[in-house]
Amino acid sequence: ALQQNDVEAMRAIVARMDGTTEATGRLVGQLLALARSEPDRPLDAQDLDLAELVQQATFEQVSAARARGIDLGFEGAGPLPLRGEALLLRELVTNLVHNAVTYTPAGGHVTVSVGRIEGGVRLRVVDDGPGIPAEERERVFERFQRLDGSGAAGSGLGLAIVKEICARHGAEVLLSDPPQGGRGLCVDVRFVARAGG
């Protein structure tokens, strides 16, 4: 970039550098989250409001969604008491919403919701993207696994991190078709047991 005399050429190089830096930063963040979610590390648990945490983490993804022309919405109200590690739970939400926004085509919809279930609380992320075939749904939770032909950049760590964080919090994560039918994916995270320290 420093060797360029043409301003437009310089801007193009700097834009590529910016994109690469952002992707590298995200990868480093994911690797740190994966390390923090390992079972041998003590959980820094505290009393939280799941609704507040999810709403804040979703709001942080609004700019990315708008840039792609995606309608990102949040539904639900708190308090929804949960005991867990805020940093890990925020990473869980960020990964799910980021994935939904990344894989949903322009003009699509992503809805993040929270609510009560029997014996606990639930987080749900529904999109109208391409979805994940039923036979691939278990495989995508493995580290560095990505669907063939997805076309989106990524490390294949997002859902592996989600599964690890769920395991640390006594939660269950399920992938299914959207409840309203049609294309897309529904991710349910059910916190049915209070996480211990």
Side-chain angles (χ1 to χ4, degrees), residues 11-27 153:
R11 285 180 194 225
I13 292 169
V14 171
R16 283 197 306 271
M17 289 170 52
D18 183 55
T20 302
T21 302
E22 186 176 323
T24 302
R26 176 151 177 75
L27 178 59

mmCIF file of all heavy atoms in Angstrom, residues 11-27 153:
data_model
loop_
_atom_site.group_PDB
_atom_site.id
_atom_site.type_symbol
_atom_site.label_atom_id
_atom_site.label_comp_id
_atom_site.label_asym_id
_atom_site.label_seq_id
_atom_site.Cartn_x
_atom_site.Cartn_y
_atom_site.Cartn_z
ATOM 1 N N ARG A 11 -6.373 2.316 -1.512
ATOM 2 C CA ARG A 11 -7.580 2.032 -0.725
ATOM 3 C C ARG A 11 -7.983 0.567 -0.835
ATOM 4 O O ARG A 11 -8.407 -0.049 0.145
ATOM 5 C CB ARG A 11 -8.736 2.911 -1.185
ATOM 6 C CG ARG A 11 -8.623 4.329 -0.724
ATOM 7 C CD ARG A 11 -9.798 5.139 -1.219
ATOM 8 N NE ARG A 11 -9.485 6.532 -1.046
ATOM 9 C CZ ARG A 11 -10.314 7.419 -0.547
ATOM 10 N NH1 ARG A 11 -11.508 7.067 -0.212
ATOM 11 N NH2 ARG A 11 -9.942 8.660 -0.413
ATOM 12 N N ALA A 12 -7.868 0.002 -2.029
ATOM 13 C CA ALA A 12 -8.240 -1.401 -2.227
ATOM 14 C C ALA A 12 -7.346 -2.319 -1.394
ATOM 15 O O ALA A 12 -7.824 -3.276 -0.772
ATOM 16 C CB ALA A 12 -8.149 -1.758 -3.707
ATOM 17 N N ILE A 13 -6.054 -2.024 -1.368
ATOM 18 C CA ILE A 13 -5.126 -2.834 -0.584
ATOM 19 C C ILE A 13 -5.426 -2.702 0.904
ATOM 20 O O ILE A 13 -5.458 -3.692 1.639
ATOM 21 C CB ILE A 13 -3.669 -2.439 -0.896
ATOM 22 C CG1 ILE A 13 -3.321 -2.834 -2.333
ATOM 23 C CG2 ILE A 13 -2.703 -3.084 0.093
ATOM 24 C CD1 ILE A 13 -2.015 -2.264 -2.836
ATOM 25 N N VAL A 14 -5.654 -1.473 1.353
ATOM 26 C CA VAL A 14 -5.951 -1.242 2.768
ATOM 27 C C VAL A 14 -7.267 -1.923 3.148
ATOM 28 O O VAL A 14 -7.397 -2.502 4.239
ATOM 29 C CB VAL A 14 -5.969 0.260 3.097
ATOM 30 C CG1 VAL A 14 -6.491 0.503 4.502
ATOM 31 C CG2 VAL A 14 -4.571 0.852 2.937
ATOM 32 N N ALA A 15 -8.261 -1.909 2.262
ATOM 33 C CA ALA A 15 -9.542 -2.574 2.531
ATOM 34 C C ALA A 15 -9.342 -4.079 2.694
ATOM 35 O O ALA A 15 -9.929 -4.702 3.588
ATOM 36 C CB ALA A 15 -10.535 -2.283 1.410
ATOM 37 N N ARG A 16 -8.512 -4.682 1.834
ATOM 38 C CA ARG A 16 -8.221 -6.119 1.967
ATOM 39 C C ARG A 16 -7.505 -6.401 3.287
ATOM 40 O O ARG A 16 -7.789 -7.383 3.969
ATOM 41 C CB ARG A 16 -7.375 -6.608 0.791
ATOM 42 C CG ARG A 16 -8.180 -6.793 -0.488
ATOM 43 C CD ARG A 16 -7.454 -7.651 -1.504
ATOM 44 N NE ARG A 16 -6.114 -7.196 -1.822
ATOM 45 C CZ ARG A 16 -5.796 -6.330 -2.784
ATOM 46 N NH1 ARG A 16 -6.762 -5.797 -3.529
ATOM 47 N NH2 ARG A 16 -4.548 -5.977 -3.004
ATOM 48 N N MET A 17 -6.560 -5.517 3.637
ATOM 49 C CA MET A 17 -5.845 -5.682 4.908
ATOM 50 C C MET A 17 -6.807 -5.583 6.087
ATOM 51 O O MET A 17 -6.712 -6.353 7.045
ATOM 52 C CB MET A 17 -4.749 -4.621 5.041
ATOM 53 C CG MET A 17 -3.583 -4.838 4.100
ATOM 54 S SD MET A 17 -2.433 -3.435 4.058
ATOM 55 C CE MET A 17 -2.073 -3.190 5.769
ATOM 56 N N ASP A 18 -7.743 -4.660 6.002
ATOM 57 C CA ASP A 18 -8.724 -4.468 7.071
ATOM 58 C C ASP A 18 -9.574 -5.724 7.230
ATOM 59 O O ASP A 18 -9.803 -6.197 8.347
ATOM 60 C CB ASP A 18 -9.602 -3.255 6.769
ATOM 61 C CG ASP A 18 -10.580 -2.973 7.884
ATOM 62 O OD1 ASP A 18 -10.143 -2.809 9.039
ATOM 63 O OD2 ASP A 18 -11.802 -2.929 7.601
ATOM 64 N N GLY A 19 -10.029 -6.289 6.104
ATOM 65 C CA GLY A 19 -10.833 -7.506 6.156
ATOM 66 C C GLY A 19 -10.064 -8.677 6.730
ATOM 67 O O GLY A 19 -10.584 -9.451 7.545
ATOM 68 N N THR A 20 -8.808 -8.809 6.335
ATOM 69 C CA THR A 20 -7.965 -9.889 6.839
ATOM 70 C C THR A 20 -7.701 -9.720 8.329
ATOM 71 O O THR A 20 -7.739 -10.689 9.098
ATOM 72 C CB THR A 20 -6.632 -9.931 6.072
ATOM 73 O OG1 THR A 20 -6.915 -10.110 4.680
ATOM 74 C CG2 THR A 20 -5.744 -11.058 6.556
ATOM 75 N N THR A 21 -7.452 -8.485 8.749
ATOM 76 C CA THR A 21 -7.211 -8.214 10.164
ATOM 77 C C THR A 21 -8.442 -8.549 10.998
ATOM 78 O O THR A 21 -8.341 -9.155 12.076
ATOM 79 C CB THR A 21 -6.812 -6.742 10.377
ATOM 80 O OG1 THR A 21 -5.652 -6.472 9.591
ATOM 81 C CG2 THR A 21 -6.532 -6.440 11.830
ATOM 82 N N GLU A 22 -9.612 -8.181 10.492
ATOM 83 C CA GLU A 22 -10.860 -8.471 11.209
ATOM 84 C C GLU A 22 -11.069 -9.979 11.329
ATOM 85 O O GLU A 22 -11.418 -10.488 12.392
ATOM 86 C CB GLU A 22 -12.034 -7.832 10.468
ATOM 87 C CG GLU A 22 -13.344 -7.943 11.212
ATOM 88 C CD GLU A 22 -14.463 -7.220 10.494
ATOM 89 O OE1 GLU A 22 -14.220 -6.146 9.913
ATOM 90 O OE2 GLU A 22 -15.587 -7.739 10.516
ATOM 91 N N ALA A 23 -10.835 -10.712 10.227
ATOM 92 C CA ALA A 23 -10.997 -12.172 10.252
ATOM 93 C C ALA A 23 -10.001 -12.820 11.205
ATOM 94 O O ALA A 23 -10.338 -13.749 11.954
ATOM 95 C CB ALA A 23 -10.841 -12.742 8.846
ATOM 96 N N THR A 24 -8.759 -12.317 11.217
ATOM 97 C CA THR A 24 -7.743 -12.855 12.111
ATOM 98 C C THR A 24 -8.109 -12.588 13.563
ATOM 99 O O THR A 24 -7.976 -13.469 14.424
ATOM 100 C CB THR A 24 -6.358 -12.242 11.797
ATOM 101 O OG1 THR A 24 -6.041 -12.514 10.432
ATOM 102 C CG2 THR A 24 -5.281 -12.808 12.701
ATOM 103 N N GLY A 25 -8.598 -11.390 13.840
ATOM 104 C CA GLY A 25 -9.028 -11.050 15.196
ATOM 105 C C GLY A 25 -10.158 -11.948 15.658
ATOM 106 O O GLY A 25 -10.173 -12.401 16.816
ATOM 107 N N ARG A 26 -11.101 -12.229 14.770
ATOM 108 C CA ARG A 26 -12.218 -13.117 15.118
ATOM 109 C C ARG A 26 -11.710 -14.524 15.405
ATOM 110 O O ARG A 26 -12.150 -15.178 16.357
ATOM 111 C CB ARG A 26 -13.258 -13.123 14.008
ATOM 112 C CG ARG A 26 -14.383 -14.102 14.260
ATOM 113 C CD ARG A 26 -15.691 -13.684 13.640
ATOM 114 N NE ARG A 26 -16.696 -14.691 13.873
ATOM 115 C CZ ARG A 26 -17.314 -14.915 15.022
ATOM 116 N NH1 ARG A 26 -17.036 -14.150 16.057
ATOM 117 N NH2 ARG A 26 -18.206 -15.868 15.154
ATOM 118 N N LEU A 27 -10.771 -15.012 14.583
ATOM 119 C CA LEU A 27 -10.217 -16.346 14.796
ATOM 120 C C LEU A 27 -9.497 -16.433 16.133
ATOM 121 O O LEU A 27 -9.673 -17.402 16.890
ATOM 122 C CB LEU A 27 -9.266 -16.713 13.654
ATOM 123 C CG LEU A 27 -8.563 -18.070 13.778
ATOM 124 C CD1 LEU A 27 -9.564 -19.212 13.875
ATOM 125 C CD2 LEU A 27 -7.613 -18.275 12.612
ATOM 126 N N ALA A 153 -16.713 -17.438 4.357
ATOM 127 C CA ALA A 153 -15.413 -17.611 5.002
ATOM 128 C C ALA A 153 -15.624 -17.929 6.474
ATOM 129 O O ALA A 153 -16.586 -17.494 7.077
ATOM 130 C CB ALA A 153 -14.596 -16.336 4.851
#
